[in-house]
Amino acid sequence: MKRVFAFGLLCCTALVGAALPGDTFRPVAGAAIGKAAPWSAAPVADAETLRFAVIGDRTGLARPGVFEQAMNQIGWMRPEFVINAGDLIEGYTDDKGEIGAEWDHIKGAVAKLGVPFFYVPGNHDLGTDAELQVWRERHGSPYYAFEYKNVLFLCLDTEDPPMPMSPEMSKQFRGVLKALAADPVGTEKAINAQLAQVNKSRALETAGINGARFSDAQVDFVRRTLAAHRNVRWTFVLMHKPAWTLKSAAFDKIEAMLANRKYTVIAGHNHYYSHELRNGRDYFQMGTVGAISHQEGPGKMDHLAWVTVDKAGPHYALVRLTGLLDKNGETGQTLAR
């Protein structure tokens, strides 16, 4: 039986349900003595099992080299694909040449993976109308969906429409970028000291640039997509900002559409890992993969989430970048935590 996974120019065909050469466990004579054998159970190949990796924010304010080496590291593990939760470029500029150069850098880093990479936009990726235009030229729609191995992936855009920084904030941001490039460690310490004061009040999270925005067209896209994929075994919803924490009426509608199905929601944005059960489902906020931290605590880490979906449903494991070693016992990381 053949299942076809198709999205845009990404097309591949996977043989499902048929045994392939080498799939069957075949012990060589002499390994077992009577009923005793040196294994707990025979491994069984399952073509329906899905393994993929999720990563969080590279930006705003990327520590040099962390994301780039992470692409090498994740490539060692050979997931079926990698999907991110937004914020890969610094953005917040109208200069299309600068935007293009930032995306060229990401393209080069992603090429090290050796497996497909799925882009989900963040506020730094879509901070201006010019960035949105470049995104569409390079990546197509900023919100989309695909089905693979009877699992639906719903990739949303929380910057619909984009909201630019004020000229004053943009100037300040560009200054910090230069400082971070010159002194990554010292600049991060100074920023963390400032953020410690900001984090005492979370009121700004629901206003202006920090709000989650979904157009009516996007909400309608979600409605149509879910209606057309009622019988999938699981649904993963990827977005950048954790809209369920931001008083988003549009996301309330989306969440209501998901109510009668098995699903998981994964976001980024806050540069700090957290997990909660909401409506009986797993909701994740990813930590970083190179971005500076926003707060201290156990959720401060550069990591990936390794997701395995089998007949029992999804299983989750977090892996710190500092724990991913090559065959020489090296991470290759210099600034990862």
Side-chain angles (χ1 to χ4, degrees):
M1 175 182 178
K2 290 187 176 180
R3 294 180 183 273
V4 177
F5 161 43
F7 171 68
L9 297 178
L10 276 175
C11 297
C12 65
T13 301
L15 188 64
V16 177
L20 298 175
D23 274 0
T24 303
F25 177 69
R26 298 182 180 89
V28 176
I33 300 175
K35 293 184 178 180
W39 49 79
S40 63
V44 178
D46 181 5
E48 287 293 312
T49 298
L50 166 64
R51 296 177 178 88
F52 65 96
V54 184
I55 58 172
D57 296 37
R58 172 182 175 260
T59 60
L61 304 177
R63 283 168 286 127
V66 176
F67 172 84
E68 292 77 3
Q69 178 57 16
M71 295 298 95
N72 281 321
Q73 290 175 288
I74 299 171
W76 303 336
M77 301 176 74
R78 280 298 183 267
E80 293 180 59
F81 61 85
V82 177
I83 190 165
N84 89 304
D87 277 4
L88 291 177
I89 68 171
E90 300 290 1
Y92 283 113
T93 176
D94 291 318
D95 186 332
K96 286 191 174 182
E98 186 174 353
I99 298 166
E102 290 196 45
W103 279 119
D104 286 344
H105 178 82
I106 297 301
K107 182 179 179 180
V110 166
K112 300 175 183 178
L113 268 174
V115 300
F117 186 95
F118 287 83
Y119 296 87
V120 174
N123 54 295
H124 283 267
D125 306 315
L126 296 183
T128 65
D129 288 338
E131 285 185 83
L132 176 58
Q133 292 172 15
V134 173
W135 177 283
R136 286 173 171 163
E137 292 166 2
R138 287 176 173 251
H139 307 306
S141 176
Y143 56 86
Y144 61 97
F146 63 93
E147 183 183 337
Y148 180 54
K149 292 189 175 181
N150 199 28
V151 175
L152 178 65
F153 290 82
L154 192 57
C155 303
L156 304 183
D157 173 14
T158 58
E159 312 307 309
D160 185 14
M163 181 172 287
M165 288 180 175
S166 67
E168 181 181 350
M169 185 180 295
S170 180
K171 182 178 180 180
Q172 182 181 15
F173 175 65
R174 291 289 150 185
V176 176
L177 282 178
K178 292 179 180 179
L180 191 65
D183 179 14
V185 176
T187 303
E188 184 178 9
K189 287 182 179 178
I191 292 170
N192 285 342
Q194 295 176 348
L195 286 172
Q197 298 299 317
V198 173
N199 286 334
K200 290 180 180 179
S201 172
R202 306 302 292 180
L204 291 176
E205 289 292 341
T206 59
I209 201 169
N210 288 312
R213 297 175 297 282
F214 303 90
S215 66
D216 291 342
Q218 184 172 183
V219 174
D220 185 59
F221 166 79
V222 172
R223 181 180 294 106
R224 289 184 283 105
T225 300
L226 293 177
H229 297 82
R230 297 181 186 276
N231 298 319
V232 294
R233 54 179 170 147
W234 208 271
T235 298
F236 287 92
V237 182
L238 279 295
M239 68 183 75
H240 180 59
K241 290 176 180 171
W244 65 94
T245 71
L246 299 174
K247 299 180 180 179
S248 167
F251 184 72
D252 289 344
K253 294 178 182 178
I254 293 171
E255 202 170 40
M257 297 176 204
L258 293 164
N260 295 322
R261 64 173 58 212
K262 297 175 181 178
Y263 71 89
T264 299
V265 179
I266 305 175
H269 187 59
N270 287 325
H271 300 194
Y272 191 86
Y273 173 78
S274 68
H275 166 263
E276 64 182 286
L277 282 177
R278 178 178 169 89
N279 304 322
R281 276 78 166 188
D282 290 300
Y283 281 60
F284 294 94
Q285 294 184 52
M286 294 292 292
T288 54
V289 64
I292 64 163
S293 58
H294 282 183
Q295 65 186 94
E296 297 296 325
K300 177 183 175 179
M301 59 179 166
D302 292 305
H303 73 102
L304 63 94
W306 185 269
V307 185
T308 301
V309 185
D310 60 17
K311 293 177 181 178
H315 309 269
Y316 309 98
L318 304 185
V319 184
R320 289 179 181 267
L321 298 186
T322 51
L324 258 173
L325 312 178
D326 65 11
K327 63 183 179 182
N328 298 314
E330 300 291 340
T331 68
Q333 290 286 0
T334 57
L335 293 175
R337 48 176 175 260

